[in-house]
Amino acid sequence: MTARFISFEGGEGGGKSTQIARLADWLRGRGKSVLTTREPGGSPGAEEIRTLFVTGAADRWDGVTEALLVSAARRDHVMKTIRPALAAGTWVLCDRFADSTLAYQGYGRGLSLEMLKTLQALATDGLTPDLTLWFDVPVTIGLHRAAARRGTEARFESLDTGFHERLAQGYATLAAAEPARFRRIDAAAPLAAVEAAVIDTVAARFPDLG
Ligand SMILES: Nc1ncnc2c1ncn2[C@@H]1O[C@H](COP(=O)(O)OP(=O)(O)O)[C@@H](O)[C@H]1O
Ligand SMILES: [Mg+2]
């Protein structure tokens, strides 16, 4: 079967980065070639932009600059990494993609969703994930987990709870608008249960996986 493109979405601390590696292992066990990648980043140029994006003070960039930075990084990632991988028959698992821009800069920061969608058409070159796993976790639990892991890339975690609540609501709205693409994962569950839910969801979505 053709290689698929799966994005992992949701707020901080839902377990996206933890589970992406586990799903990759599971798919490799089924004989698939798999690339795990992340946004912003995933190509040399985009990783340089990532450093600008995720470090420093919470108000380092205004919302529009943020949207432009991450969209430039996404364009590079799609053209240099994701499209070539899919063309070579490699499954691509991506830790955040265009929905993160709608959620963070749109619902979180309050930028125009229409403007952001126009920008995403350019950034993604029209590429849409075959499946988007939405890691839905209550804000307090997610931030608590993220705090335990905190490194230098904590610029968004330091934003107020209202931002994170708007973000969570934004993901719910995005998922409801595109039920064919989104699947909700109950990310408040224990690690092993989340892993099982991810695998069940992927197996159900792609029944010819083997
Ligand atoms: N289901 C879970 N239950 C408890 N802790 C978890 C769970 N999933 C992830 N964690 C822990 O929470 C922290 C954040 O997980 P991470 O995968 O980095 O989330 P994300 O990438 O969605 O921000 C990590 O320390 C991770 O080990
Ligand atoms: Mg992560």
Side-chain angles (χ1 to χ4, degrees), residues 11-19 95 145-146 149 187 189-191 194:
E12 312 295 330
K16 299 178 297 298
S17 303
T18 305
Q19 296 295 340
D95 194 340
R145 286 184 192 163
R149 148 210 90 182
L191 270 174
V194 176

PDB file of all heavy atoms in Angstrom, residues 11-19 95 145-146 149 187 189-191 194, ligand 1:
ATOM      1  N   GLY A  11      -2.185  19.931  22.596  1.00  0.00           N
ATOM      2  CA  GLY A  11      -1.455  20.874  23.442  1.00  0.00           C
ATOM      3  C   GLY A  11      -0.207  20.250  24.052  1.00  0.00           C
ATOM      4  O   GLY A  11       0.181  19.125  23.717  1.00  0.00           O
ATOM      5  N   GLU A  12       0.416  20.988  24.943  1.00  0.00           N
ATOM      6  CA  GLU A  12       1.660  20.540  25.581  1.00  0.00           C
ATOM      7  C   GLU A  12       1.389  19.360  26.523  1.00  0.00           C
ATOM      8  O   GLU A  12       0.393  19.331  27.227  1.00  0.00           O
ATOM      9  CB  GLU A  12       2.276  21.672  26.418  1.00  0.00           C
ATOM     10  CG  GLU A  12       2.383  23.021  25.726  1.00  0.00           C
ATOM     11  CD  GLU A  12       3.320  23.024  24.536  1.00  0.00           C
ATOM     12  OE1 GLU A  12       4.289  22.245  24.549  1.00  0.00           O
ATOM     13  OE2 GLU A  12       3.073  23.797  23.600  1.00  0.00           O
ATOM     14  N   GLY A  13       2.312  18.396  26.525  1.00  0.00           N
ATOM     15  CA  GLY A  13       2.263  17.317  27.511  1.00  0.00           C
ATOM     16  C   GLY A  13       1.247  16.224  27.240  1.00  0.00           C
ATOM     17  O   GLY A  13       0.986  15.383  28.096  1.00  0.00           O
ATOM     18  N   GLY A  14       0.696  16.191  26.042  1.00  0.00           N
ATOM     19  CA  GLY A  14      -0.271  15.136  25.717  1.00  0.00           C
ATOM     20  C   GLY A  14       0.383  13.787  25.470  1.00  0.00           C
ATOM     21  O   GLY A  14      -0.272  12.747  25.542  1.00  0.00           O
ATOM     22  N   GLY A  15       1.669  13.804  25.172  1.00  0.00           N
ATOM     23  CA  GLY A  15       2.381  12.555  24.911  1.00  0.00           C
ATOM     24  C   GLY A  15       2.702  12.326  23.438  1.00  0.00           C
ATOM     25  O   GLY A  15       3.072  11.214  23.049  1.00  0.00           O
ATOM     26  N   LYS A  16       2.597  13.361  22.626  1.00  0.00           N
ATOM     27  CA  LYS A  16       2.860  13.213  21.188  1.00  0.00           C
ATOM     28  C   LYS A  16       4.264  12.682  20.919  1.00  0.00           C
ATOM     29  O   LYS A  16       4.448  11.718  20.180  1.00  0.00           O
ATOM     30  CB  LYS A  16       2.718  14.577  20.476  1.00  0.00           C
ATOM     31  CG  LYS A  16       1.340  15.199  20.574  1.00  0.00           C
ATOM     32  CD  LYS A  16       1.279  16.563  19.897  1.00  0.00           C
ATOM     33  CE  LYS A  16       2.190  17.611  20.536  1.00  0.00           C
ATOM     34  NZ  LYS A  16       1.838  17.919  21.951  1.00  0.00           N
ATOM     35  N   SER A  17       5.254  13.340  21.516  1.00  0.00           N
ATOM     36  CA  SER A  17       6.638  12.968  21.225  1.00  0.00           C
ATOM     37  C   SER A  17       6.964  11.575  21.757  1.00  0.00           C
ATOM     38  O   SER A  17       7.783  10.860  21.179  1.00  0.00           O
ATOM     39  CB  SER A  17       7.597  14.003  21.815  1.00  0.00           C
ATOM     40  OG  SER A  17       7.303  15.286  21.305  1.00  0.00           O
ATOM     41  N   THR A  18       6.304  11.202  22.855  1.00  0.00           N
ATOM     42  CA  THR A  18       6.500   9.867  23.422  1.00  0.00           C
ATOM     43  C   THR A  18       5.907   8.814  22.484  1.00  0.00           C
ATOM     44  O   THR A  18       6.539   7.786  22.189  1.00  0.00           O
ATOM     45  CB  THR A  18       5.803   9.769  24.793  1.00  0.00           C
ATOM     46  OG1 THR A  18       6.283  10.825  25.633  1.00  0.00           O
ATOM     47  CG2 THR A  18       6.043   8.428  25.450  1.00  0.00           C
ATOM     48  N   GLN A  19       4.710   9.063  22.007  1.00  0.00           N
ATOM     49  CA  GLN A  19       3.978   8.042  21.255  1.00  0.00           C
ATOM     50  C   GLN A  19       4.423   7.925  19.804  1.00  0.00           C
ATOM     51  O   GLN A  19       4.247   6.879  19.185  1.00  0.00           O
ATOM     52  CB  GLN A  19       2.465   8.326  21.323  1.00  0.00           C
ATOM     53  CG  GLN A  19       1.892   8.232  22.734  1.00  0.00           C
ATOM     54  CD  GLN A  19       1.962   6.830  23.331  1.00  0.00           C
ATOM     55  OE1 GLN A  19       2.093   5.834  22.603  1.00  0.00           O
ATOM     56  NE2 GLN A  19       1.882   6.737  24.650  1.00  0.00           N
ATOM     57  N   ASP A  95       5.366  15.139  14.218  1.00  0.00           N
ATOM     58  CA  ASP A  95       5.022  15.707  15.516  1.00  0.00           C
ATOM     59  C   ASP A  95       4.674  17.187  15.282  1.00  0.00           C
ATOM     60  O   ASP A  95       5.580  18.004  15.185  1.00  0.00           O
ATOM     61  CB  ASP A  95       6.250  15.541  16.436  1.00  0.00           C
ATOM     62  CG  ASP A  95       5.950  15.785  17.905  1.00  0.00           C
ATOM     63  OD1 ASP A  95       4.946  16.437  18.210  1.00  0.00           O
ATOM     64  OD2 ASP A  95       6.757  15.310  18.737  1.00  0.00           O
ATOM     65  N   ARG A 145       2.661  17.603  33.216  1.00  0.00           N
ATOM     66  CA  ARG A 145       3.615  16.683  32.577  1.00  0.00           C
ATOM     67  C   ARG A 145       4.735  17.456  31.886  1.00  0.00           C
ATOM     68  O   ARG A 145       5.906  17.084  31.989  1.00  0.00           O
ATOM     69  CB  ARG A 145       2.900  15.837  31.522  1.00  0.00           C
ATOM     70  CG  ARG A 145       2.014  14.758  32.080  1.00  0.00           C
ATOM     71  CD  ARG A 145       1.479  13.985  30.889  1.00  0.00           C
ATOM     72  NE  ARG A 145       0.409  13.085  31.230  1.00  0.00           N
ATOM     73  CZ  ARG A 145      -0.415  12.553  30.331  1.00  0.00           C
ATOM     74  NH1 ARG A 145      -0.283  12.865  29.043  1.00  0.00           N
ATOM     75  NH2 ARG A 145      -1.358  11.723  30.704  1.00  0.00           N
ATOM     76  N   ALA A 146       4.363  18.510  31.171  1.00  0.00           N
ATOM     77  CA  ALA A 146       5.363  19.271  30.419  1.00  0.00           C
ATOM     78  C   ALA A 146       6.359  19.930  31.366  1.00  0.00           C
ATOM     79  O   ALA A 146       7.546  20.023  31.062  1.00  0.00           O
ATOM     80  CB  ALA A 146       4.680  20.314  29.540  1.00  0.00           C
ATOM     81  N   ARG A 149       9.201  17.784  32.281  1.00  0.00           N
ATOM     82  CA  ARG A 149      10.142  17.518  31.212  1.00  0.00           C
ATOM     83  C   ARG A 149      10.888  18.789  30.791  1.00  0.00           C
ATOM     84  O   ARG A 149      11.774  18.763  29.945  1.00  0.00           O
ATOM     85  CB  ARG A 149       9.328  16.910  30.058  1.00  0.00           C
ATOM     86  CG  ARG A 149       9.801  17.220  28.676  1.00  0.00           C
ATOM     87  CD  ARG A 149       8.697  17.247  27.638  1.00  0.00           C
ATOM     88  NE  ARG A 149       8.134  18.568  27.515  1.00  0.00           N
ATOM     89  CZ  ARG A 149       7.123  18.865  26.714  1.00  0.00           C
ATOM     90  NH1 ARG A 149       6.520  17.934  26.022  1.00  0.00           N
ATOM     91  NH2 ARG A 149       6.669  20.089  26.643  1.00  0.00           N
ATOM     92  N   ALA A 187      -5.680  11.278  25.831  1.00  0.00           N
ATOM     93  CA  ALA A 187      -4.280  11.353  26.237  1.00  0.00           C
ATOM     94  C   ALA A 187      -4.101  11.500  27.742  1.00  0.00           C
ATOM     95  O   ALA A 187      -2.967  11.536  28.229  1.00  0.00           O
ATOM     96  CB  ALA A 187      -3.592  12.510  25.508  1.00  0.00           C
ATOM     97  N   ALA A 189      -5.061   9.177  29.677  1.00  0.00           N
ATOM     98  CA  ALA A 189      -4.911   7.785  30.109  1.00  0.00           C
ATOM     99  C   ALA A 189      -3.434   7.465  30.359  1.00  0.00           C
ATOM    100  O   ALA A 189      -2.548   8.206  29.926  1.00  0.00           O
ATOM    101  CB  ALA A 189      -5.482   6.865  29.035  1.00  0.00           C
ATOM    102  N   PRO A 190      -3.164   6.340  31.044  1.00  0.00           N
ATOM    103  CA  PRO A 190      -1.762   5.934  31.256  1.00  0.00           C
ATOM    104  C   PRO A 190      -1.052   5.653  29.919  1.00  0.00           C
ATOM    105  O   PRO A 190      -1.704   5.345  28.922  1.00  0.00           O
ATOM    106  CB  PRO A 190      -1.877   4.653  32.074  1.00  0.00           C
ATOM    107  CG  PRO A 190      -3.240   4.688  32.677  1.00  0.00           C
ATOM    108  CD  PRO A 190      -4.104   5.456  31.728  1.00  0.00           C
ATOM    109  N   LEU A 191       0.252   5.751  29.948  1.00  0.00           N
ATOM    110  CA  LEU A 191       1.078   5.590  28.738  1.00  0.00           C
ATOM    111  C   LEU A 191       0.709   4.373  27.892  1.00  0.00           C
ATOM    112  O   LEU A 191       0.542   4.483  26.676  1.00  0.00           O
ATOM    113  CB  LEU A 191       2.549   5.441  29.147  1.00  0.00           C
ATOM    114  CG  LEU A 191       3.387   6.703  29.268  1.00  0.00           C
ATOM    115  CD1 LEU A 191       4.761   6.364  29.823  1.00  0.00           C
ATOM    116  CD2 LEU A 191       3.521   7.358  27.901  1.00  0.00           C
ATOM    117  N   VAL A 194      -2.607   4.769  26.130  1.00  0.00           N
ATOM    118  CA  VAL A 194      -2.518   5.710  25.007  1.00  0.00           C
ATOM    119  C   VAL A 194      -1.848   5.025  23.812  1.00  0.00           C
ATOM    120  O   VAL A 194      -2.306   5.134  22.673  1.00  0.00           O
ATOM    121  CB  VAL A 194      -1.756   6.995  25.413  1.00  0.00           C
ATOM    122  CG1 VAL A 194      -1.590   7.921  24.216  1.00  0.00           C
ATOM    123  CG2 VAL A 194      -2.486   7.717  26.555  1.00  0.00           C
TER     124      VAL A 194
HETATM  125  N1  LIG B   1       0.029   8.933  29.164  1.00  0.00           N
HETATM  126  C1  LIG B   1       0.970   9.493  29.948  1.00  0.00           C
HETATM  127  N2  LIG B   1       0.891   9.419  31.294  1.00  0.00           N
HETATM  128  C2  LIG B   1       1.818   9.986  32.078  1.00  0.00           C
HETATM  129  N3  LIG B   1       2.887  10.685  31.646  1.00  0.00           N
HETATM  130  C3  LIG B   1       3.028  10.802  30.314  1.00  0.00           C
HETATM  131  C4  LIG B   1       2.074  10.224  29.402  1.00  0.00           C
HETATM  132  N4  LIG B   1       2.469  10.535  28.145  1.00  0.00           N
HETATM  133  C5  LIG B   1       3.596  11.258  28.268  1.00  0.00           C
HETATM  134  N5  LIG B   1       3.940  11.409  29.553  1.00  0.00           N
HETATM  135  C6  LIG B   1       5.097  12.166  30.066  1.00  0.00           C
HETATM  136  O1  LIG B   1       4.733  13.525  29.998  1.00  0.00           O
HETATM  137  C7  LIG B   1       5.813  14.324  29.510  1.00  0.00           C
HETATM  138  C8  LIG B   1       5.378  15.004  28.220  1.00  0.00           C
HETATM  139  O2  LIG B   1       5.215  14.025  27.188  1.00  0.00           O
HETATM  140  P1  LIG B   1       5.577  14.382  25.684  1.00  0.00           P
HETATM  141  O3  LIG B   1       5.536  13.117  24.899  1.00  0.00           O
HETATM  142  O4  LIG B   1       6.822  15.191  25.633  1.00  0.00           O
HETATM  143  O5  LIG B   1       4.303  15.307  25.297  1.00  0.00           O
HETATM  144  P2  LIG B   1       4.100  16.307  24.068  1.00  0.00           P
HETATM  145  O6  LIG B   1       5.109  15.939  23.034  1.00  0.00           O
HETATM  146  O7  LIG B   1       2.691  16.042  23.620  1.00  0.00           O
HETATM  147  O8  LIG B   1       4.240  17.694  24.619  1.00  0.00           O
HETATM  148  C9  LIG B   1       6.989  13.383  29.329  1.00  0.00           C
HETATM  149  O9  LIG B   1       7.792  13.474  30.477  1.00  0.00           O
HETATM  150  C10 LIG B   1       6.336  12.011  29.214  1.00  0.00           C
HETATM  151  O10 LIG B   1       7.178  10.997  29.690  1.00  0.00           O
END
